[in-house]
Amino acid sequence: MTEMHNEANACYKQCLEKDEDSILSLARPLDHERLVLAQEIIKEAAQFMELYFDTAPSSSAQSADEMGDTDEPRPDSPMQQSSTLTDPGSSTQRAEDIVDNRTLLKEKLDRARKWILWQSISNEKAMYGPIGVFIEYGALIVQEKLISLADSRSDNGLGRRLVLPSTKFDYNFSDTDDTMRIGMGLARANISDPIDDNCRRFSYYEVFAVLEAKRKGDDNGFKDALKRPYMNAREMYQQQHNLRFAWGVTVSGRLVRVCHFGHDRAISSCQMDVSTPKGRRSFIEVLVNWSFCEESQLGRDPTMEYLHDLRCWQIACPREKGCTGEGADVKYYYFSTVRCHAERVFGRHTRCFLATDIMPTAVVSTTNPLITTVVIKYSWALSKRNASDDVCDEVSSLNKIKERLSAQAAAKDIIFPKIEGGGRVSFQRNGEWVEDNTDTMYGLGKLAEDNTDNVNGLGEARSDDDPLFRAHRRIVMSPIGESLCSTKSVTEFVTVICDAMRCHSAFVDHCNILHRDISDNNILVVRSEGIARGMLIDFDCAIDLKQKEPGNLHKVTGTLPYVSINNLSESDVERTSLDDWESMLCLICWFTTLGTVSGKRREYEELAKLPIRRWRQGSTNDMIMAKESAFYCHESFRDFIVRYFKLEGGKPDKNELLKRLAISIHKCLFQNCRLTPDCHGTFEKRKHVEPERRELSIKKELDAYELCYISSKRLSRVNPFKERAEKWKEISKQLLAFANAFWEKAMDLQKKANEANGDTAIGNIYQ
């Protein structure tokens, strides 16, 4: 929970763009008919509300002048002409109306005024009821307007829905065991659904926005209120497999802001002060626009559909590199199992689905599961705007791997991902096919170019070299693997990670592809004939070594806590395959400290007491120092890392195998005899004219330790990573030789264990 609070604080400080009212236009209906109808409803709702506040008795000390000017409705205004929205003093109403709408509207505003006029608001929980009623007021006007037009059908794809609040406040969602509570959820509802329902308790799967209220009406109140929608957005991404972005609403006192959580930034609108007519109208406008906009504008992916009758998902994927748009060769797949969820608010939002191209004929269940044959990867990777210029994207990398490794005899004994289709995703928006990317999300694509008034965009499109441009891609590949956490023994773990680095070397040697993101999520366990093998996946961060772009080999990439020292420190030393080998060493150390065997791992509370915890805690400099200290020499590596390895009891031969692997990789990287002595270790050395005695001081406490040099007379500094990078090919060959040797030993131990246990084949790798 503390980690999530820290993330939310970092979002406010580093990723938030405040006071961008143009973000509200992203929800404005694109269809002209819908837009006109929405604007008419907004006007009627605002006029009825202000007439109510002008005529209703008020116990508030606030004067009419403080409330601001009110636009009086004209006799020929739509509100006065409406048969369902009459003024509060009128006694006429349509005889066929089932509900006395005038009375209901007045009741809603009577209850909402406690918040608007700030009456008897003693605590934050007391704010949610009036706020919820205000939202219901907007929904009621939308509902009655559409019913009066004899149009009550549910047509969510074209943008007709109610936006309703949960009637339970400050509660846990029913579909998560997370102890984090939320203030209020906002969800879609059909036009005919009842509004006065006191039992609405939405799940993370149902909401498209979360509202959080704080009493303080200042920047501190906004900052505190923003934390909850941010943390709830993280859960929404996990639960909603087709969520592209998330909305949020903050209320600090009577100041309302709407927030948009994208892939790299959060954007908030200017404050809407509901104590003024202008602020109330602006908030109503947001709610009505959400009722009429397209599903894609609420964050949903229209190319994925949940088939309720079959209880599975249908997803469209391109067969070839291209788009799922008009004229594209598209294939449909079906899935019910999600192997990888989107786990963070910002980033690629990578998801993996186990799927089949055969549509089920009966309801999918535990007794009638889908027979899956492929993995579909869904992600938003950093990309070039022009797809033809994006020669290093994952689809291109996988096609190159498939083409080159399939013909290499040396690659016959490694397992690598085989692409079966993939490309950028497109969908229909307002009748036109558009590519799903961040330009489309923020209204900077073709629709914005065609719109001279810029009613649906944040402004002009960014340049082609925009570092934050992301494109939505889907990739279909095989074989299907399991998580690295599924290893059942030390020998399986050693086999899998050595297999992964043998794959890595093949990609570098035969395909000129450098992976740059070695992590537990990107190594899969593939089982065949009772033997666990390893496969390296995910090439979103990969680059082509023959097509180096300026600065491309100096960007920080990877996953904490596995990022190499050179990478983490943003050094100007070029990244090489040795950075990936160091990431693998970090992964071995992390997993072996945690425990390599499924079901026999340390709890994270215990891990928090060990020195290795510093690899993912504190500032970047703290993490760099912790790794430099641990990897400095053989003694520091043994004392700070190896001594805490959690291994299988009673199996010294297997435990020794894993220890020797970690020590061998460490020695090859940091104490390599091919490097000059000044380039051993992790710290910059001070080179002297005369021989100098260095003293290593190791402070062996768990909570505070550091390595330092005691020296004098410096002539120049020597960066140990620079010479290492110059000799990366030689050192990489040496590391591959180690990986092959340990792989052969671990494979032999696996086979012997299977023979002893009488194991039989448990499946082909393509199943």
Side-chain angles (χ1 to χ4, degrees):
M1 197 64 163
T2 301
E3 182 179 348
M4 295 180 72
H5 274 286
N6 291 339
E7 276 188 29
N9 287 330
C11 167
Y12 183 84
K13 293 178 181 178
Q14 303 169 13
C15 304
L16 177 65
E17 298 179 16
K18 289 179 62 177
D19 300 332
E20 283 278 359
D21 263 353
S22 51
I23 199 67
L24 301 178
S25 68
L26 299 188
R28 191 169 297 168
L30 298 170
D31 178 78
H32 180 70
E33 180 185 354
R34 302 282 188 269
L35 179 60
V36 171
L37 182 57
Q39 290 175 338
E40 181 181 345
I41 293 174
I42 292 165
K43 185 175 182 179
E44 292 181 7
Q47 288 179 338
F48 185 91
M49 181 165 48
E50 297 320 313
L51 190 57
Y52 165 84
F53 280 110
D54 277 352
T55 58
S58 172
S59 61
S60 171
Q62 190 177 34
S63 67
D65 292 336
E66 290 173 321
M67 291 282 291
D69 296 332
T70 301
D71 295 329
E72 292 291 343
R74 301 186 308 273
D76 59 345
S77 71
M79 185 191 73
Q80 297 289 351
Q81 294 177 6
S82 171
S83 58
T84 58
L85 295 182
T86 56
D87 69 80
S90 173
S91 60
T92 60
Q93 187 76 313
R94 284 177 58 180
E96 62 268 26
D97 280 348
I98 299 174
V99 179
D100 185 352
N101 188 54
R102 179 194 59 192
T103 303
L104 279 178
L105 291 175
K106 290 178 64 179
E107 287 177 357
K108 297 295 181 188
L109 294 176
D110 278 339
R111 294 167 62 190
R113 66 184 294 178
K114 289 185 177 180
W115 169 50
I116 293 171
L117 303 181
W118 205 251
Q119 298 171 342
S120 304
I121 302 294
S122 57
N123 54 54
E124 289 164 1
K125 196 164 186 177
M127 296 173 65
Y128 287 111
I131 293 171
V133 171
F134 185 92
I135 297 170
E136 289 177 348
Y137 167 79
L140 182 61
I141 288 187
V142 170
Q143 183 183 63
E144 290 302 319
K145 184 66 174 179
L146 292 179
I147 290 176
S148 72
L149 296 174
D151 191 358
S152 60
R153 69 182 184 275
S154 174
D155 198 358
N156 287 351
L158 293 177
R160 288 180 173 177
R161 66 188 72 81
L162 299 180
V163 172
L164 294 178
S166 59
T167 52
K168 300 294 182 182
F169 312 131
D170 194 25
Y171 69 99
N172 280 343
F173 281 122
S174 59
D175 54 3
T176 177
D177 58 2
D178 189 9
T179 57
M180 183 175 60
R181 304 177 74 82
I182 65 101
M184 177 187 292
L186 303 182
R188 309 160 178 80
N190 293 327
I191 295 300
S192 58
D193 286 353
I195 292 177
D196 288 322
D197 181 353
N198 295 323
C199 299
R200 289 194 299 267
R201 182 186 174 97
F202 302 129
S203 68
Y204 272 119
Y205 178 75
E206 296 171 293
V207 299
F208 70 88
V210 169
L211 182 148
E212 179 70 13
K214 298 292 180 183
R215 290 189 79 248
K216 291 185 292 185
D218 55 15
D219 277 349
N220 287 330
F222 168 59
K223 180 181 178 181
D224 291 341
L226 181 66
K227 291 179 183 179
R228 287 297 181 183
Y230 174 88
M231 293 188 287
N232 295 139
R234 182 173 175 171
E235 295 297 322
M236 290 165 63
Y237 281 123
Q238 279 195 330
Q239 297 290 334
Q240 299 185 37
H241 311 316
N242 59 343
L243 188 64
R244 300 160 56 245
F245 60 82
W247 290 99
V249 180
T250 65
V251 180
S252 46
R254 289 179 288 183
L255 305 179
V256 179
R257 284 185 173 91
V258 173
C259 303
H260 180 283
F261 298 99
H263 297 277
D264 298 285
R265 54 180 174 159
I267 305 175
S268 76
S269 68
C270 294
Q271 63 190 28
M272 294 172 270
D273 187 349
V274 296
S275 69
T276 68
K278 181 180 179 181
R280 292 191 286 272
R281 181 189 177 107
S282 296
F283 192 22
I284 284 290
E285 183 176 0
V286 172
L287 298 172
V288 174
N289 283 342
W290 275 342
S291 295
F292 284 89
C293 69
E294 297 185 7
E295 278 292 296
S296 64
Q297 292 174 273
L298 290 183
R300 289 283 177 93
D301 184 341
T303 64
M304 293 175 63
E305 180 184 2
Y306 186 73
L307 307 178
H308 292 275
D309 293 343
L310 296 174
R311 295 185 183 176
C312 69
W313 287 85
Q314 176 182 271
I315 182 171
C317 297
R319 294 177 188 266
E320 304 291 341
K321 183 177 180 180
C323 296
T324 55
E326 187 175 15
D329 188 6
V330 173
K331 189 172 184 178
Y332 287 94
Y333 292 84
Y334 306 88
F335 72 89
S336 61
T337 302
V338 182
R339 176 57 54 84
C340 174
H341 297 263
E343 296 180 343
R344 294 192 176 275
V345 177
F346 300 134
R348 294 178 291 164
H349 294 170
T350 301
R351 302 169 171 99
C352 291
F353 313 124
L354 304 189
T356 176
D357 59 351
I358 300 175
M359 185 175 183
T361 57
V363 176
V364 176
S365 64
T366 53
T367 57
N368 182 42
L370 291 173
I371 307 302
T372 56
T373 56
V374 296
V375 177
I376 298 176
K377 179 183 176 183
Y378 171 124
S379 73
W380 287 73
L382 293 171
S383 310
K384 298 283 188 182
R385 268 189 173 77
N386 191 335
S388 60
D389 295 336
D390 213 358
V391 294
C392 295
D393 71 323
E394 186 168 19
V395 176
S396 300
S397 297
L398 286 171
N399 279 323
K400 183 188 290 186
I401 289 170
K402 182 179 180 179
E403 175 187 345
R404 297 194 180 180
L405 292 191
S406 297
Q408 290 288 337
K412 296 299 182 184
D413 63 344
I414 67 171
I415 299 174
F416 56 90
K418 296 177 176 61
I419 186 170
E420 299 189 12
R424 297 192 181 191
V425 175
S426 294
F427 63 90
Q428 273 197 311
R429 186 176 182 184
N430 195 29
E432 295 187 41
W433 284 96
V434 294
E435 182 182 294
D436 197 10
N437 54 45
T438 46
D439 280 357
T440 302
M441 182 184 298
Y442 293 114
L444 304 177
K446 186 177 186 303
L447 289 173
E449 293 171 6
D450 296 341
N451 188 347
T452 55
D453 294 332
N454 190 33
V455 297
N456 291 88
L458 288 177
E460 297 179 357
R462 300 187 179 188
S463 62
D464 289 339
D465 58 353
D466 178 14
L468 295 183
F469 176 80
R470 293 181 182 271
H472 179 189
R473 292 193 190 92
R474 284 191 194 134
I475 302 174
V476 183
M477 52 191 166
S478 62
I480 293 175
E482 303 171 5
S483 165
L484 184 59
C485 295
S486 67
T487 52
K488 301 174 183 177
S489 66
V490 168
T491 52
E492 281 194 1
F493 182 77
V494 172
T495 305
V496 169
I497 59 176
C498 288
D499 251 332
M501 293 315 291
R502 292 167 72 243
C503 286
H504 178 277
S505 297
F507 300 152
V508 172
D509 296 340
H510 302 300
C511 309
N512 299 306
I513 293 174
L514 183 61
H515 190 275
R516 302 201 306 168
D517 189 14
I518 303 297
S519 71
D520 56 314
N521 290 328
N522 295 338
I523 298 175
L524 296 184
V525 180
V526 180
R527 298 185 183 276
S528 177
E529 298 181 352
I531 300 295
R533 299 289 304 275
M535 180 173 67
L536 186 61
I537 61 168
D538 191 350
F539 296 83
D540 276 340
C541 296
I543 58 170
D544 190 324
L545 291 172
K546 285 192 174 181
Q547 296 181 357
K548 300 178 182 178
E549 297 184 12
N552 209 16
L553 292 179
H554 304 291
K555 294 178 182 177
V556 178
T557 59
T559 305
L560 292 176
Y562 313 121
V563 182
S564 69
I565 297 171
N566 188 39
N567 190 356
L568 197 60
S569 60
E570 299 185 56
S571 165
D572 59 359
V573 176
E574 186 177 284
R575 311 288 186 268
T576 68
S577 65
L578 297 186
D579 289 281
D580 284 357
W581 279 98
E582 185 181 333
S583 292
M584 176 56 75
L585 176 61
C586 292
L587 186 149
I588 293 171
C589 295
W590 186 269
F591 255 67
T592 312
T593 303
L594 188 62
T596 60
V597 182
S598 178
K600 299 180 180 179
R601 295 192 168 92
R602 279 189 172 104
E603 297 293 333
Y604 276 99
E605 291 76 9
E606 185 181 356
L607 187 69
K609 301 175 183 178
L610 304 180
I612 200 171
R613 77 188 189 281
R614 295 174 179 267
W615 290 9
R616 59 178 289 175
Q617 287 183 356
S619 66
T620 301
N621 286 335
D622 292 336
M623 290 184 276
I624 292 171
M625 186 62 186
K627 288 191 175 184
E628 286 178 336
S629 303
F631 291 153
Y632 172 73
C633 63
H634 173 74
E635 289 77 13
S636 62
F637 185 58
R638 178 195 62 205
D639 290 342
F640 295 141
I641 303 298
V642 177
R643 68 179 292 192
Y644 298 107
F645 279 2
K646 181 177 176 62
L647 302 167
E648 292 185 75
K651 299 181 180 179
D653 56 337
K654 298 177 183 178
N655 294 343
E656 191 61 29
L657 182 71
L658 186 51
K659 279 186 179 181
R660 284 194 290 114
L661 174 61
I663 291 171
S664 297
I665 295 176
H666 172 264
K667 183 176 181 180
C668 194
L669 285 172
F670 299 104
Q671 304 290 325
N672 199 300
C673 61
R674 289 173 171 78
L675 303 174
T676 60
D678 284 322
C679 288
H680 289 181
T682 53
F683 294 101
E684 285 190 347
K685 307 297 190 299
R686 295 179 174 88
K687 205 170 184 178
H688 298 267
V689 177
E690 299 177 359
E692 175 204 12
R693 293 182 61 188
R694 295 184 178 87
E695 179 180 345
L696 177 65
S697 173
I698 304 179
K699 203 174 178 182
K700 295 183 179 178
E701 284 84 7
L702 295 180
D703 293 325
Y705 65 92
E706 62 180 16
L707 298 170
C708 57
Y709 285 110
I710 300 173
S711 59
S712 61
K713 288 188 184 176
R714 178 174 60 83
L715 277 184
S716 62
R717 289 181 179 273
V718 177
N719 186 339
F721 296 99
K722 189 172 183 180
E723 184 181 346
R724 198 174 304 161
E726 293 169 355
K727 297 184 178 181
W728 72 268
K729 290 185 179 180
E730 300 172 48
I731 300 174
S732 293
K733 287 181 180 179
Q734 188 180 4
L735 287 163
L736 177 59
F738 281 130
N740 281 326
F742 281 95
W743 176 79
E744 290 174 0
K745 178 65 175 175
M747 282 286 288
D748 185 55
L749 288 172
Q750 272 202 81
K751 290 175 182 177
K752 288 180 179 178
N754 287 349
E755 291 172 2
N757 296 331
D759 285 354
T760 57
I762 58 174
N764 184 277
I765 62 173
Y766 294 102
Q767 294 180 342

